[in-house]
Amino acid sequence: MEENKSSKKSRSFKKSKSTNNLTKEELIKLESKPRNKTHDIFKLILPIIAGLIAIFEYVYLPDHNSSAVKTNLYNGFLWILLAIYGIVLLISFKNENLRDRLIYKSPFYTFVFILLLIYDLLTLKTAKLDLPYFPWMDMIFNSMKEDASFLTDSVLSSLKLLFTGYFIGAILGIITGILAGYFDKVNYWVDPFLKLLGPIPTTTWLPVVMVIAINLFQGAVFIIQLGVWFSTTLATITGIHNVDPSYYEAAQTLGATNSELVRKIAIKSATPNIFQGLIAGMSAACNALIVAEMLGVESGLGWYITWKSSWADYSAMYGAIILLAITFILVNIIIKKISKNALKWRSGGAVR
């Protein structure tokens, strides 16, 4: 009997030990209920059904204006979206994580196709949203094609301005935040400026900066870096202030110098907050960029949007807005990916 009890205890100990070694995702899978495969398959093919309906609507439903000029650009765009989704779907059959992600994202992908279908119905098919203010999607894509070289130059100009201001503001913000967060004497002088700039949007200073600045580009860079500097500085100070004082005491007991306390404890502990400030700073930089280009700078997507809207060329204007949104989404994705890779130690080495 005693041997049986001891063997049971050893087996239960091994079982609990092996369970402790499982990752969080594996534990969730073990505890989750069996899936409804039919429901999952339906969710996976739902975006394909919605995409095919959107293509059928555009090609076969009669237009409100029979003389409307149509090309295959929008139709081709829908087929490209479907092809990309189909390729990823085929790959997901051999990748369970990718398939789970597709199942999770499929309602949103379906919504995108439905949104495109509804907009085409309201513009090209029924003219409920009439020209010139609401061009149909094919008109927008053709305007983007005609102005492709101009739009490319505008995107490059916007990115140059955005990253120039962003990197300057981020570097200055991290340095200021570290000094003000760790040294009270520095914080004494920095804190009033943070309280002054906090309630006031950075774009408010644009008219003054554009007058004082040597040229429009430098003025726009200053506005962008001001917003990034504020977000990064505030987040860095918060991160350093949240460090447990016992860490400093333990390090000092071991003979750490003041610079080592800053480098090895303050900065490392505040890293998550610093990246949060950098992500928030990118959003502030994007907003400041558009306002600066619309009001002062003579190049970039913001300037292009203002120029086209002043000539009532709304199809070109919407094309630039779409391109602007895609550009900012990609930039933010890159920043977040860098942040996740830098902070992968927080999730046990797994980047999600």
Side-chain angles (χ1 to χ4, degrees):
M1 291 291 291
E2 291 179 357
E3 290 179 359
N4 290 335
K5 286 182 180 179
S6 61
S7 62
K8 285 181 181 178
K9 286 181 179 179
S10 63
R11 283 198 297 269
S12 63
F13 174 76
K14 288 178 181 178
K15 186 177 179 182
S16 63
K17 188 176 180 182
S18 62
T19 304
N20 290 333
N21 289 332
L22 294 174
T23 62
K24 187 178 180 181
E25 289 81 7
E26 289 172 336
L27 286 171
I28 291 172
K29 287 179 182 178
L30 288 173
E31 295 170 1
S32 62
K33 295 179 180 180
R35 284 181 173 175
N36 187 335
K37 291 184 178 180
T38 306
H39 183 260
D40 287 347
I41 292 171
F42 177 73
K43 288 184 73 174
L44 287 172
I45 64 172
L46 200 58
I48 297 176
I49 296 171
L52 291 174
I53 292 173
I55 292 170
F56 179 86
E57 174 271 333
Y58 175 73
V59 175
Y60 294 106
L61 259 64
D63 303 332
H64 180 267
N65 185 358
S66 58
S67 61
V69 179
K70 287 171 57 177
T71 66
N72 289 320
L73 282 180
Y74 174 59
N75 189 26
F77 171 73
L78 292 176
W79 279 112
I80 290 171
L81 289 182
L82 274 178
I84 293 172
Y85 181 82
I87 292 170
V88 176
L89 181 60
L90 291 174
I91 297 172
S92 71
F93 291 144
K94 294 185 178 181
N95 188 327
E96 189 177 351
N97 290 330
L98 181 60
R99 186 166 65 253
D100 291 342
R101 185 170 178 81
L102 275 184
I103 292 170
Y104 176 74
K105 287 285 188 179
S106 63
F108 176 75
Y109 298 149
T110 305
F111 172 74
V112 171
F113 283 116
I114 293 174
L115 196 64
L116 291 171
L117 184 148
I118 292 172
Y119 184 79
D120 197 62
L121 283 172
L122 293 175
T123 52
L124 179 62
K125 303 301 179 181
T126 62
K128 296 295 183 182
L129 301 176
D130 205 358
L131 294 173
Y133 300 106
F134 298 100
W136 52 84
M137 291 302 300
D138 195 60
M139 285 184 67
I140 295 173
F141 282 121
N142 275 282
S143 296
M144 293 174 71
K145 181 183 176 182
E146 291 173 3
D147 267 2
S149 60
F150 210 163
L151 284 171
T152 302
D153 291 339
S154 297
V155 170
L156 294 175
S157 178
S158 292
L159 290 176
K160 179 184 177 182
L161 180 58
L162 175 67
F163 283 111
T164 302
Y166 180 78
F167 284 124
I168 294 174
I171 293 169
L172 292 176
I174 292 172
I175 294 172
T176 307
I178 291 170
L179 294 175
Y182 190 80
F183 299 103
D184 291 335
K185 291 182 179 180
V186 178
N187 190 53
Y188 173 83
W189 295 101
V190 173
D191 187 62
F193 289 98
L194 292 176
K195 290 179 179 177
L196 172 66
L197 297 174
I200 304 173
T202 54
T203 51
T204 307
W205 304 101
L206 187 63
V208 178
V209 172
M210 288 303 181
V211 173
I212 299 174
I214 299 173
N215 54 55
L216 297 176
F217 182 84
Q218 290 184 1
V221 166
F222 178 80
I223 291 296
I224 293 169
Q225 75 181 46
L226 184 63
V228 179
W229 174 85
F230 173 78
S231 300
T232 311
T233 300
L234 191 62
T236 305
I237 291 174
T238 303
I240 291 177
H241 284 173
N242 289 336
V243 178
D244 192 338
S246 62
Y247 294 165
Y248 295 118
E249 293 172 3
Q252 286 174 335
T253 303
L254 295 172
T257 62
N258 216 21
S259 62
E260 288 176 333
L261 291 176
V262 174
R263 288 186 291 107
K264 297 183 178 181
I265 295 179
I267 296 177
K268 286 189 176 181
S269 300
T271 301
N273 292 80
I274 292 173
F275 275 103
Q276 288 177 2
L278 291 174
I279 292 171
M282 178 54 74
S283 299
C286 291
N287 292 331
L289 170 73
I290 296 306
V291 175
E293 287 183 338
M294 286 182 170
L295 298 180
V297 182
E298 297 179 351
S299 62
L301 286 171
W303 170 83
Y304 182 91
I305 291 169
T306 305
W307 174 47
K308 289 297 182 180
S309 63
S310 64
W311 288 94
D313 190 356
Y314 293 105
S315 59
M317 183 192 76
Y318 286 130
I321 292 173
I322 292 171
L323 197 57
L324 182 70
I326 293 171
T327 302
F328 285 170
I329 288 171
L330 291 175
V331 168
N332 277 290
I333 288 173
I334 292 170
I335 295 294
K336 288 179 180 179
K337 285 288 183 183
I338 294 171
S339 173
K340 284 184 178 180
N341 278 286
L343 301 175
K344 61 184 178 181
W345 51 269
R346 298 181 70 193
S347 55
V351 182
R352 299 193 186 107

